[in-house]
């Protein structure tokens, strides 16, 4: 009888694969959090890494219970910092400098596309 002929063997195999990936994901998240935490000394990080290497399942559970709240806060702070950096970069890359906007408005006024009053309004908006 082939392995994949029994439906429950397939379900059990998928569950085991899922459990392995979930465990590895949690392990890597804990290791990343260890190195993200600047309040934890190097010795404590080494102790956690030692226990994660030799008693992985138990130390993973203990870490999540003991330091889970701080792990969440550090993860949120990292996400906020990344979002702020991305927003800053997008604003910097997308926005024209005030002198460029005034030069464009001046070119439009010289071409007769906008009036002098509209040019002054654009200029005051850009400067403000």
């Amino acid at each position: 009888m082939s392995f994949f002929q029994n439906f429950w063997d397939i379900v059990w195999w998928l569950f085991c694969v899922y459990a392995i990936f979930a465990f590895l994901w949690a392990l890597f998240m804990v290791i990343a959090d260890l190195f993200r935490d600047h309040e934890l000394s190097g010795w404590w990080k080494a102790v956690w890494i030692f226990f994660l290497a030799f008693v992985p399942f138990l130390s993973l559970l203990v870490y999540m219970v003991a330091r889970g709240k701080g792990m969440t806060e550090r993860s949120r702070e990292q996400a906020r910092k990344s979002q702020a950096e991305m927003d800053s970069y997008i604003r910097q890359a997308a926005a024209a400098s005030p002198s460029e906007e005034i030069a464009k408005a001046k070119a439009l006024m010289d071409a007769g596309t906008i009036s002098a009053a509209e040019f002054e309004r654009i200029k005051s908006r850009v400067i403000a």
Side-chain angles (χ1 to χ4, degrees), residues 4-120:
F4 288 108
Q5 287 180 346
N6 188 347
F7 173 75
W8 292 110
D9 286 342
I10 296 171
V11 171
W12 179 250
W13 182 80
L14 288 173
F15 175 76
C16 290
V17 169
Y18 170 77
I20 290 169
F21 279 114
F23 172 74
L24 290 175
W25 179 263
L27 187 66
F28 290 132
M29 292 299 290
V30 165
I31 291 171
D33 183 64
L34 274 172
F35 290 105
R36 189 182 304 138
D37 187 5
H38 298 293
E39 296 174 4
L40 196 62
S41 74
W43 286 106
W44 280 111
K45 290 178 185 180
V47 168
W48 277 112
I49 293 293
F50 176 81
F51 280 107
L52 284 169
F54 293 106
V55 190
F57 188 73
L58 180 63
S59 41
L60 186 69
L61 288 176
V62 170
Y63 187 89
M64 295 244 185
V65 169
R67 300 181 47 87
K69 185 176 181 182
M71 187 175 175
T72 303
E73 291 169 0
R74 284 183 292 279
S75 180
R76 255 192 227 136
E77 183 60 35
Q78 181 69 25
R80 254 188 248 118
K81 183 179 174 185
S82 296
Q83 185 67 40
E85 288 174 358
M86 185 178 9
D87 290 345
S88 172
Y89 173 75
I90 289 171
R91 270 189 239 105
Q92 176 188 2
S97 69
S99 60
E100 289 174 347
E101 287 195 37
I102 292 172
K104 288 178 187 176
K106 177 71 172 148
L108 288 173
M109 186 180 78
D110 290 344
T113 308
I114 61 172
S115 66
E118 289 173 314
F119 171 74
E120 289 301 322

